[in-house]
Amino acid sequence: MALELTHGYSSTDMMDVRLPYPGLMGLGELGARCTREQLNPPSMPVPDALARVRDLVRDDIGAGEVHHEIPALAKVDPRFFGIAFAGVDGSVVGVGDWTRQFSIQSISKLFSLALLLSLDGDEVWQHVGRHPSAAPYNELPEIGGPVPRNPFINAGALVVVGRLLELMDDPRRSLLDLLRVESGNPSLRVDENVVESERAHGGRNAVIADLIATSGRLSRPSGQLLEQYLHQCAIAMSCAELAKAGLFLARGGVLSDGRALLSGSTTKRLNATLLTCGAYGASSDMAYSVGLPLKTGIGGGILGVLPGIGTVCAWSPSLDAHGNSIAAAKAMSLFTTLTGWSVF
Ligand code: GLN
């Protein structure tokens, strides 16, 4: 006898749906056979929700200010807006400027942390904390003080970068390769103009790198830390490419070729860290209004994770006081409201 589920799927429907990766946490036997999207279909079809989001954020696009301390970012037109959804089933849909590349900036921090977690496991937490911080992302670390509060403020990200430099021959290349393969775009590249611009105008990060390098906890010189960091921030990607690249976070750590970058439980913990720290001092507001683990960047992008379902990435260059995109944050909130999908 077919098992009836509240959403109208029967166990016979599910027999045909097999995922290319191990079972989704918490779904047990059903999890091995069908996606959470099928168990929990959106309240509004995703393409309709995306189109509606674009209509509803029209007045917010261009509100706030484009990041102005890095001249190469200040030149970006504030009227851009895009949003893309990538499903664990391989579907990718978007509206607006969803295929236009932008500077991923601090969204890169989640990928370098994932790479480090894959090599170093829980050892990471000996070097950096996982506590929310209300301070600005470029807060100076205390000399001789505790480890940086979390891996997403610049001080913590520079520690992650320092550990990667200790453990890998060429972390710059490894990170780019990971993003190229997962996004499906082998031509992804670092925008050297952004690197140059940030090198010339990002004196504060040079100070943070010096303080981290001289803490006695890392063996790499500050110049190497800073260069690795500037290059990861300056990678250019579109909403569609970021959404695809982040899908392993929705698949319990499993990459597009079926190999596990992270275990299910490490992925759960990384997602938890994104929820509590991914938007700096606005993380609790984002948890409240969006309800997803997410990472923001001063290029105006926000990448969010819907575990078991997919990823959503929104982009618009104008920022609030925390350095988070105003229109992208609103778009993410509308998307989870319209689809009824969030982690809560
Ligand atoms: N490259 C930027 C900086 O370090 C990244 C900050 C961000 O995106 N929040 O200042």
Side-chain angles (χ1 to χ4, degrees):
M1 199 178 72
L3 166 72
E4 288 300 327
L5 291 177
T6 45
H7 296 299
Y9 292 96
S10 70
S11 60
T12 3
D13 296 330
M14 285 175 223
M15 297 303 285
D16 298 322
V17 187
R18 290 204 173 260
L19 296 178
Y21 48 87
L24 298 163
M25 270 179 314
L27 293 180
E29 174 67 4
L30 294 177
R33 293 184 179 166
C34 73
T35 66
R36 200 165 290 189
E37 178 171 356
Q38 288 169 306
L39 285 174
N40 177 17
S43 331
M44 181 185 274
V46 170
D48 297 353
L50 294 175
R52 185 102 180 91
V53 166
R54 182 170 52 170
D55 287 345
L56 292 170
V57 298
R58 239 175 254 286
D59 292 342
D60 301 280
I61 298 170
E65 269 186 58
V66 174
H67 182 79
H68 52 260
E69 282 160 33
I70 304 171
L73 297 184
K75 285 196 286 210
V76 181
D77 190 331
R79 289 167 302 181
F80 286 129
F81 171 79
I83 180 166
F85 169 80
V88 293
D89 61 356
S91 60
V92 187
V93 275
V95 295
D97 302 301
W98 65 296
T99 57
R100 176 179 282 271
Q101 291 187 330
F102 58 91
S103 195
I104 69 171
Q105 292 294 315
S106 283
I107 299 176
S108 64
K109 294 169 182 170
L110 95 78
F111 293 101
S112 51
L113 177 61
L115 209 51
L116 183 57
L117 282 164
S118 78
L119 299 169
D120 221 7
D122 282 345
E123 173 71 20
V124 170
W125 308 118
Q126 302 301 312
H127 302 271
V128 65
R130 44 175 192 270
H131 311 289
S133 167
Y137 60 80
N138 57 3
E139 179 192 40
L140 297 180
E142 280 171 58
I143 301 173
V147 295
R149 287 187 72 82
N150 69 62
F152 303 129
I153 58 171
N154 293 6
L158 281 154
V159 167
V160 169
V161 155
R163 281 298 288 156
L164 283 176
L165 284 161
E166 287 176 345
L167 297 172
M168 301 185 101
D169 290 339
D170 189 355
R172 199 185 293 180
R173 178 86 217 178
S174 302
L175 183 65
L176 200 53
D177 283 347
L178 172 72
L179 293 172
R180 284 176 172 164
V181 171
E182 296 308 299
S183 70
N185 180 358
S187 331
L188 283 190
R189 56 179 197 89
V190 171
D191 184 338
E192 291 294 340
N193 285 331
V194 174
V195 175
E196 188 51 48
S197 188
E198 193 165 357
R199 202 186 275 129
H201 295 88
R204 197 174 169 93
N205 281 334
V207 174
I208 299 175
D210 274 344
L211 291 170
I212 294 297
T214 53
S215 66
R217 297 191 189 102
L218 291 168
S219 63
R220 295 299 158 134
S222 67
Q224 272 187 29
L225 264 57
L226 187 62
E227 281 305 302
Q228 169 74 22
Y229 176 74
L230 295 183
H231 279 79
Q232 74 170 40
C233 287
I235 295 170
M237 293 174 76
S238 67
C239 291
E241 288 162 350
L242 272 170
K244 282 195 266 182
L247 271 177
F248 69 95
L249 292 169
R251 288 190 297 236
V254 176
L255 296 170
S256 52
D257 65 1
R259 281 179 309 126
L261 178 68
L262 303 173
S263 69
S265 80
T266 300
T267 309
K268 178 183 71 175
R269 291 171 181 160
L270 173 51
N271 282 335
T273 315
L274 287 168
L275 181 81
T276 52
C277 310
Y280 316 113
S283 300
S284 59
D285 284 340
M286 292 277 203
Y288 179 84
S289 62
V290 179
L292 296 180
L294 53 80
K295 186 71 208 82
T296 63
I298 55 169
I302 305 181
L303 174 59
V305 185
L306 299 100
I309 295 178
T311 50
V312 56
C313 181
W315 168 57
S316 196
S318 287
L319 310 177
D320 65 13
H322 294 285
N324 301 325
S325 167
I326 294 172
K330 180 151 176 200
M332 301 286 286
S333 164
L334 287 164
F335 181 79
T336 56
T337 302
L338 292 170
T339 56
W341 281 341
S342 84
V343 295
F344 299 112

